Amino acid sequence: MSQRILFISNGHGEDDNSSHVIRTLRTLHPKLQLLALPIVGEGNAYKKLQIPIVGPTYILPSGGFTYMNRLRLIDDIRAGLLTMSYKQFRAMRKSVAQVDFVVATGDTVSQAFAYFSNRPFISNIACLSALYEGRLNMDWLLWQIFKSDRCKAVLTRDAYTAEDLGKQGLTKVQFGGIPSLDRLKPTGKNLQLKPNDKMVALLPGSRTAEAIRNFKLEMQTAVEIAQLKEQITFRAALVPGVMSAVGAIAREQGWQISQHAHPQQAPWIRLRFSGSDTHPNPADILCYSDAYSDIIHRTIVIGMAGEAVDKAVAIGKPVVQIPGKGPQFTYAFAEAQNRLLGLSAQTIGGQAATPTTLKEAAKCVVKTIDDTSYLQACQWNGPHRLGPSGGANRIASLILQHLNVVRQDNAYQVLDTSLRP
């Protein structure tokens, strides 16, 4: 009989985290039956993998970022947060009757769901880190969950947090890593670059409405950069929702647009600012919706995102951050990213970006792109701070270990499915 695993996650980044573990699990043990319960958002990362979702899904007005502004919690409650959470909890309790194991990714909410499933589980606290404050101060409930005999392991995003929790007495903690790094390799997409081009990657985020606002700020920053140094070129990694809106964005900003497609190349859209009285130098941005891995492996990133920025830093890239209006990428979020990512991240300004902020960001990019010693420091800092790749394989292998599965004759064989407490 095939074993069933339920993945519970409470955040878009956490969904993505779990999706990479799922992809690796499918390779290692194809006969597993996998289910998902995304507590925040619609679970698109699971849907892309055709993973059945066991409960209702919904989009919060806050985007799930109430920890950055507690007043947004009021909007979530008015939108039905408590009712929907109760429905999700009931759906989880009903589904676990046929589940052997649970993997919870996220903070207290997802971990509490896993605990009350009454099934053995692994806690992946990918959104928590001791790097923010030097020590991870978890709430009382999380400690009680982790002390449970049914909590088989606690996984962290970075090794420093695993070491910190170990010193605090949590013996079952292990370094997990960032699962998506396993597949973060250039794919050979043609980015239309000349051999000596210095390229700036633009990462406006993944939530369409906010990402569109962020991308407009990044376009304006590109114009400011072009006034300072003409030899810099720009490539934007956009989610499909933003890519489909690029035409409207260009018209609103007064840019020209042209689309390009070729059977052997990634389709892309060129945005061109032809110059103005105050900004005479032109600027070009080539936009892609399927070339993220290729784009961030270049020189420097202008980032207004969470996990996408983390991954860029993890592979050794410097990031210049421009705070937006949120709900995710506010100054508070960017400042927290600074503490997480260390010297690899530079945040410009102390509030939502103004024209002055964008000018300062442009100066920072131009200075950084030619700072060889700083670029080398980032190449060392990122991998050492966030850890090496291999997270998806480490986590998937640990799950199989706790499912009492062993490798025999190059194939996994189920030895014991009696995991129910």
Side-chain angles (χ1 to χ4, degrees), residues 236-309:
L238 307 179
V239 296
V242 180
M243 192 73 166
S244 64
V246 161
I249 295 171
R251 288 189 292 272
E252 178 185 328
Q253 300 294 304
W255 290 48
Q256 299 171 345
I257 181 173
S258 57
Q259 298 190 26
H260 301 263
H262 188 281
Q264 280 76 46
Q265 299 177 3
W268 47 280
I269 297 175
R270 182 189 296 274
L271 302 181
R272 182 170 177 80
F273 171 77
S274 298
S276 67
D277 292 339
T278 57
H279 295 81
N281 292 342
D284 287 300
I285 301 174
L286 270 61
C287 306
Y288 297 80
S289 63
D290 60 350
Y292 168 78
S293 294
D294 298 87
I295 287 173
I296 68 163
H297 274 85
R298 303 297 296 190
T299 309
I300 185 174
V301 171
I302 296 178
M304 302 181 70
E307 186 177 357
V309 165

Side-chain angles (χ1 to χ4, degrees), residues 6-310:
L6 173 63
F7 284 82
I8 303 175
S9 49
N10 64 307
H12 301 274
E14 287 76 9
D15 295 353
D16 182 71
N17 186 309
S18 297
S19 73
H20 287 278
V21 176
I22 287 171
R23 291 174 65 182
T24 300
L25 274 175
R26 281 178 164 175
T27 300
L28 297 176
H29 189 29
K31 292 185 179 180
L32 286 175
Q33 295 186 36
L34 306 173
L35 308 171
L37 175 58
I39 298 173
V40 176
E42 298 181 311
N44 291 325
Y46 296 120
K47 291 178 180 178
K48 289 179 181 178
L49 298 178
Q50 299 182 327
I51 302 297
I53 293 176
V54 302
T57 62
Y58 67 119
I59 298 176
L60 294 170
S62 70
F65 291 98
T66 56
Y67 65 92
M68 305 305 300
N69 183 349
R70 292 300 182 187
L71 294 177
R72 294 185 184 273
L73 181 60
I74 298 174
D75 295 332
D76 288 351
I77 292 174
R78 288 173 176 169
L81 170 65
L82 299 180
T83 300
M84 187 60 69
S85 296
Y86 176 68
K87 290 180 179 179
Q88 290 176 326
F89 185 80
R90 287 188 60 188
M92 181 273 294
R93 290 286 292 170
K94 182 178 180 180
S95 68
V96 294
Q98 302 301 319
V99 166
D100 297 288
F101 202 77
V102 172
V103 179
T105 303
D107 56 20
T108 306
V109 177
S110 58
Q111 305 306 330
F113 268 59
Y115 176 80
F116 287 109
S117 72
N118 290 327
R119 293 289 176 265
F121 63 95
I122 285 176
S123 295
N124 185 358
I125 53 172
C127 58
L128 304 178
S129 176
L131 289 170
Y132 291 114
E133 305 292 344
R135 186 178 189 272
L136 183 57
N137 296 307
M138 293 189 300
D139 58 51
W140 176 86
L141 180 56
L142 268 182
W143 274 114
Q144 300 311 306
I145 291 172
F146 295 159
K147 288 179 180 178
S148 165
D149 290 339
R150 285 183 286 102
C151 179
K152 301 304 179 183
V154 177
L155 303 175
T156 65
R157 172 175 50 182
D158 57 85
Y160 181 84
T161 302
E163 180 182 357
D164 171 63
L165 292 178
K167 291 178 180 178
Q168 294 186 49
L170 187 62
T171 58
K172 61 182 72 174
V173 66
Q174 300 181 41
F175 165 64
I178 304 176
S180 56
L181 290 181
D182 292 23
R183 298 177 176 85
L184 194 63
K185 299 178 177 63
T187 64
K189 293 286 176 64
N190 187 345
L191 299 181
Q192 311 298 316
L193 293 170
K194 298 176 182 177
N196 296 321
D197 278 349
K198 291 187 176 181
M199 197 202 88
V200 175
L202 305 180
L203 306 182
S206 59
R207 293 162 183 78
T208 302
E210 180 179 0
I212 287 174
R213 293 193 297 271
N214 292 346
F215 185 48
K216 292 175 183 177
L217 292 174
E218 293 181 343
M219 291 169 65
Q220 295 165 29
T221 305
V223 171
E224 297 293 347
I225 292 171
Q227 308 315 303
L228 300 174
K229 192 177 180 72
E230 297 183 55
Q231 294 78 21
I232 296 178
T233 185
F234 304 90
R235 300 294 181 267
L238 307 179
V239 296
V242 180
M243 192 73 166
S244 64
V246 161
I249 295 171
R251 288 189 292 272
E252 178 185 328
Q253 300 294 304
W255 290 48
Q256 299 171 345
I257 181 173
S258 57
Q259 298 190 26
H260 301 263
H262 188 281
Q264 280 76 46
Q265 299 177 3
W268 47 280
I269 297 175
R270 182 189 296 274
L271 302 181
R272 182 170 177 80
F273 171 77
S274 298
S276 67
D277 292 339
T278 57
H279 295 81
N281 292 342
D284 287 300
I285 301 174
L286 270 61
C287 306
Y288 297 80
S289 63
D290 60 350
Y292 168 78
S293 294
D294 298 87
I295 287 173
I296 68 163
H297 274 85
R298 303 297 296 190
T299 309
I300 185 174
V301 171
I302 296 178
M304 302 181 70
E307 186 177 357
V309 165
D310 295 351

Side-chain angles (χ1 to χ4, degrees), residues 256-414:
Q256 299 171 345
I257 181 173
S258 57
Q259 298 190 26
H260 301 263
H262 188 281
Q264 280 76 46
Q265 299 177 3
W268 47 280
I269 297 175
R270 182 189 296 274
L271 302 181
R272 182 170 177 80
F273 171 77
S274 298
S276 67
D277 292 339
T278 57
H279 295 81
N281 292 342
D284 287 300
I285 301 174
L286 270 61
C287 306
Y288 297 80
S289 63
D290 60 350
Y292 168 78
S293 294
D294 298 87
I295 287 173
I296 68 163
H297 274 85
R298 303 297 296 190
T299 309
I300 185 174
V301 171
I302 296 178
M304 302 181 70
E307 186 177 357
V309 165
D310 295 351
K311 289 188 287 189
V313 169
I315 62 172
K317 303 305 174 185
V319 177
V320 174
Q321 300 189 125
I322 304 171
K325 294 182 178 181
Q328 179 191 15
F329 207 81
T330 60
Y331 170 72
F333 187 94
E335 190 275 331
Q337 287 290 91
N338 260 35
R339 287 181 277 123
L340 173 69
L341 304 174
L343 65 85
S344 298
Q346 301 176 80
T347 297
I348 309 302
Q351 59 183 356
T354 65
T356 300
T357 306
L358 303 185
K359 290 180 182 293
E360 291 302 315
K363 292 178 182 177
C364 182
V365 170
V366 171
K367 177 183 177 182
T368 299
I369 207 166
D370 289 324
D371 190 341
T372 303
S373 60
Y374 175 71
L375 296 177
Q376 290 175 344
C378 290
Q379 290 175 4
W380 181 91
N381 176 71
H384 282 78
R385 197 169 182 90
L386 296 181
S389 61
N393 190 69
R394 281 191 294 273
I395 297 171
S397 297
L398 185 65
I399 292 169
L400 293 176
Q401 174 187 329
H402 286 287
L403 278 172
N404 292 322
V405 177
V406 297
R407 193 74 185 259
Q408 291 185 349
D409 299 326
N410 296 320
Y412 280 98
Q413 177 182 353
V414 176

